[in-house]
Amino acid sequence: MDARLLALLQARALRPLDAHFADLLLRHAAVPSPELALAAALVSQHAGDGHVCLPLARHAGAPVFDALPGLRWLAPQREDWCQALTASGVVGPPGSDRPLILDAAGRLYLRRLWCDEDAVARDLIARAAPRADVDPAALRGPLRALFAGDDAGSVGQRRAAAVAALHGVGILSGGPGTGKTHTVGKLLVLLQHLSARPLRLALAAPTGKAAQRLAESLRKAATDLQDAVPVPDSVPTLHRLLGIGADGRPRHDADHPLACDLLLVDEASMVDLPLLAQTLRALPAPARLVLLGDANQLASVEAGAVLGELCAGAGAYRADAAARLATATGDAPPVAGEGVSTGGLAHAVAVLEHSYRFDGGGAIGRLAAAVRTGKVPDALAELAGGAEVRFEPVADAAQLAARLAGVVEAHLAPRFEVTDPAAALAALGEFQVLTALREGPFGVSGVNATLERLLRRCGCIRGQAAHYPGRPLLVGRNDYGLGLFNGDLGLLLAQPDGALRAWFAGADGTPRPLAPSRLPAHDAAYAVTVHKSQGSEFRRVLLILPPQPNPLLTRELIYTAVTRARAGVTVWGSEATLAAAIGRRVVRDSGLADRLRAGSGHGP
């Protein structure tokens, strides 16, 4: 192995995967070079951090790993770097079968990620074209009947339904309480009206928790409609819908497509690039695709920030797209100015902005808007006081433990007095502690340990057993046989005979018991990470931030935490940490947005 790669591996600046991947390419290269070693290690590391590609220009001519004494590696100038990579024999242009792909913009890809990005861009550009079988004028009557009213919420939802009906792909983005699933419920009625035969509907979400919530929301929306479209009793995860096995290979693909006329995917911000590529390959060309989510939430754990890129430039429509929407809805949609780029798929995107949950500009809504737009002074001003949202400084672990004693007394200890399963489960939705980190005293593991210690001290928890009455549970793995999914919340309660049972809300909301021995992987849930809370909502949340700024804390994480609450948000930490987080955006390197603009013929 190259000496510098070995040194970086030993210093833990590179994962073993990164160093060994670079070493493998060096051994197979026709012309091995230090330039190849550095590029291969960086592109592998970058992919591990959730990026789709490595922009060489960002590192060209600059020191890399300069924070590590003695391991500083000066990257070559971009032109020299590209020449060395091209000469190596293991780097090729787009469309080649080389392990690494280098495009004209100087973006370096692992070949599998380039293929996924290429497949997604080509498929979505084709699907986003206006459908020839839909007459915009014929939509006005049904749309006006389904979305009556000219208030901001009705206009936005009517426009969103029209966007999805007019194109083969519809992307609906909106924050909590904007009526996304309500809109989709009526959209299904509209599409059934347009179809000459019963609509074959497929529903899915990236996680089991999100899938369950989608089924519940659509069933509720359907009961509110006179012309309800049958909604399946259960909704699978995308992995289960595609039949993805342990080897990562799907049962459904281009040769074995899904049997559906429309695929609706909820919580699309959590869908990574490879998973979307697999989904599109399995979706028949005539079928519609509707992606539902909040582009401002945390991006997927794996590669890409797909929903954010698809929504880039959304908010206003080109003149031709605006004219179609005006004909279909009778409203006047926002039109992009002359020469203003609207993004590659902006004509197929609708952003729902009116929140019914935070109607009237409540403090949570104003705080979420300030965080979403990066306005630190406004966010801090909202948190300066008030019953609905507030900030409290916490400087160290000792002060945190002292504050958590108050949380135990006010919110957690009373739960141990509730023995009725339905009431106990309802209590879990009243208050939730969220953490930004996993480890350390301010992380989910440390906070849960502190809370359990405090609960033992006050007598709520007796003994040292891992399972005890009143313990809240967070499921960490899907178990389809039990109907439990990653992110589900439940709790342990004692039966009259003293036996413990784990209680979870069933699909219809009715509590159902399980023996603790049958549970899949799970943890205590006095506190959960913001990532695990996605797709959930609580009456009040307490967000715990570390006292020192951390690069893992971003605007999207704070926004996701704030919007989990319906009635109140409290933030603990330091103003410096909060301000730094709001000012830091998640940036995932990718060429998808550029490819969509270029491929749709509407570049800058």
Side-chain angles (χ1 to χ4, degrees):
M1 181 178 289
D2 179 275
R4 281 185 285 192
L5 290 176
L6 182 60
L8 289 168
L9 175 61
Q10 293 171 340
R12 297 187 177 180
L14 290 176
R15 300 173 302 168
L17 175 63
D18 307 328
H20 288 293
F21 175 73
D23 180 61
L24 178 67
L25 291 194
L26 285 173
R27 287 189 280 111
H28 285 82
V31 183
S33 66
E35 292 87 349
L36 174 62
L38 177 60
L42 285 178
V43 75
S44 177
Q45 182 187 61
H46 225 48
D49 290 336
H51 300 277
V52 178
C53 61
L54 173 73
L56 295 180
R58 180 176 304 157
H59 300 288
V64 185
F65 306 112
D66 55 334
L68 301 172
L71 297 179
R72 183 175 180 271
W73 195 334
L74 183 65
Q77 296 297 327
R78 176 179 161 177
E79 184 177 348
D80 296 335
W81 207 352
C82 290
Q83 287 180 352
L85 294 177
T86 302
S88 70
V90 293
V91 180
S96 68
D97 60 356
R98 305 295 170 83
L100 297 179
I101 301 296
L102 181 63
D103 71 8
R107 291 182 288 240
L108 187 67
Y109 293 80
L110 299 176
R111 184 176 181 275
R112 62 177 177 83
L113 289 178
W114 182 88
C115 289
D116 286 340
E117 185 178 279
D118 180 67
V120 167
R122 289 176 182 273
D123 187 285
L124 290 181
I125 289 168
R127 291 185 194 274
R131 289 184 68 107
D133 59 345
V134 178
D135 178 7
L139 294 180
R140 183 177 295 193
L143 279 171
R144 283 281 170 173
L146 288 167
F147 301 92
D150 292 311
D151 58 285
S154 297
V155 169
Q157 292 180 2
R158 187 160 55 235
R159 182 185 306 146
V163 164
L166 289 168
H167 305 94
V169 57
I171 303 157
L172 277 57
S173 176
T178 52
K180 295 188 295 293
T181 50
H182 178 76
T183 302
V184 167
K186 293 189 175 184
L187 169 65
L188 296 181
V189 176
L190 175 66
L191 295 180
Q192 182 61 74
H193 173 78
L194 297 176
S195 178
R197 57 182 174 81
L199 198 64
R200 296 179 301 168
L201 174 64
L203 307 173
T207 67
K209 174 78 171 180
Q212 185 182 35
R213 285 179 59 85
L214 174 62
E216 294 169 355
S217 298
L218 280 180
R219 276 198 299 272
K220 182 179 184 302
T223 60
D224 295 337
L225 300 173
Q226 292 181 349
D227 300 315
V229 174
V231 176
D233 291 333
S234 63
V235 174
T237 63
L238 265 176
H239 283 81
R240 196 176 192 196
L241 178 72
L242 298 175
I244 297 176
D247 60 358
R249 296 179 180 178
R251 183 171 66 252
H252 290 287
D253 53 22
D255 295 324
H256 307 88
L258 296 165
C260 65
D261 302 309
L262 182 148
L263 170 61
L264 169 64
V265 179
D266 196 14
E267 295 290 352
S269 64
M270 301 168 68
V271 178
D272 57 69
L273 179 70
L275 182 55
L276 181 58
Q278 287 181 311
T279 301
L280 293 174
R281 291 186 187 108
L283 189 62
R288 295 174 179 272
L289 172 68
V290 176
L291 298 177
L292 202 61
D294 186 347
N296 296 298
Q297 283 193 30
L298 284 164
S300 58
V301 175
E302 303 299 331
V306 177
L307 185 63
E309 290 191 273
L310 298 185
C311 293
Y317 298 91
R318 300 189 313 265
D320 57 336
R324 287 194 302 273
L325 283 174
T327 300
T329 64
D331 306 315
V335 182
E338 186 71 25
V340 176
S341 172
T342 57
L345 293 187
H347 60 288
V349 178
V351 180
L352 297 173
E353 297 178 328
H354 180 78
S355 176
Y356 294 91
R357 182 184 301 177
F358 307 129
D359 196 16
I364 296 178
R366 293 193 301 270
L367 175 60
V371 172
R372 185 183 69 245
T373 54
K375 296 178 180 177
V376 174
D378 291 353
L380 294 178
E382 288 293 339
L383 288 163
E388 192 174 349
V389 300
R390 67 181 186 272
F391 173 83
E392 298 177 6
V394 175
D396 52 40
Q399 190 176 12
L400 175 64
R403 290 280 179 82
L404 287 174
V407 169
V408 167
E409 181 180 359
H411 298 286
L412 302 187
R415 292 181 184 174
F416 284 78
E417 300 174 5
V418 182
T419 57
D420 176 70
L425 288 171
L428 291 181
E430 288 293 302
F431 175 81
Q432 183 62 55
V433 179
L434 303 179
T435 69
L437 304 177
R438 292 182 178 277
E439 305 299 332
F442 286 81
V444 69
S445 59
V447 171
N448 272 322
T450 299
L451 289 171
E452 283 195 317
R453 185 173 67 251
L454 292 168
L455 287 163
R456 282 194 167 88
R457 184 182 299 170
C458 71
C460 290
I461 302 175
R462 296 179 175 85
Q464 299 298 317
H467 285 162
Y468 52 81
R471 186 186 192 221
L473 305 172
L474 177 72
V475 175
R477 180 170 52 82
N478 295 339
D479 189 318
Y480 293 99
L482 294 177
L484 293 178
F485 304 104
N486 184 9
D488 278 355
L489 284 171
L491 80 164
L492 295 170
L493 291 176
Q495 301 287 88
D497 61 359
L500 279 180
R501 288 293 181 269
W503 291 86
F504 293 87
D508 60 355
T510 304
R512 59 191 184 95
L514 291 168
S517 60
R518 299 184 64 196
L519 292 175
H522 59 278
D523 293 298
Y526 298 107
V528 302
T529 63
V530 177
H531 281 82
K532 284 288 188 179
S533 75
Q534 280 187 273
S536 300
E537 64 179 36
F538 308 93
R539 186 171 180 272
R540 302 188 68 88
V541 300
L542 165 62
L543 172 62
I544 298 177
L545 303 177
Q548 301 299 324
N550 186 302
L552 295 178
L553 275 59
T554 63
R555 180 183 306 176
E556 290 80 2
L557 183 142
I558 304 298
Y559 172 83
T560 301
V562 166
T563 54
R564 297 311 90 204
R566 298 190 305 271
V569 176
T570 301
V571 180
W572 289 358
S574 72
E575 285 194 359
T577 296
L578 181 59
I582 295 174
R584 183 185 299 112
R585 300 210 62 177
V586 171
V587 177
R588 293 281 179 87
D589 292 320
S590 163
L592 180 59
D594 286 348
R595 289 175 63 86
L596 292 173
R597 279 193 294 269
S600 61
H602 301 287

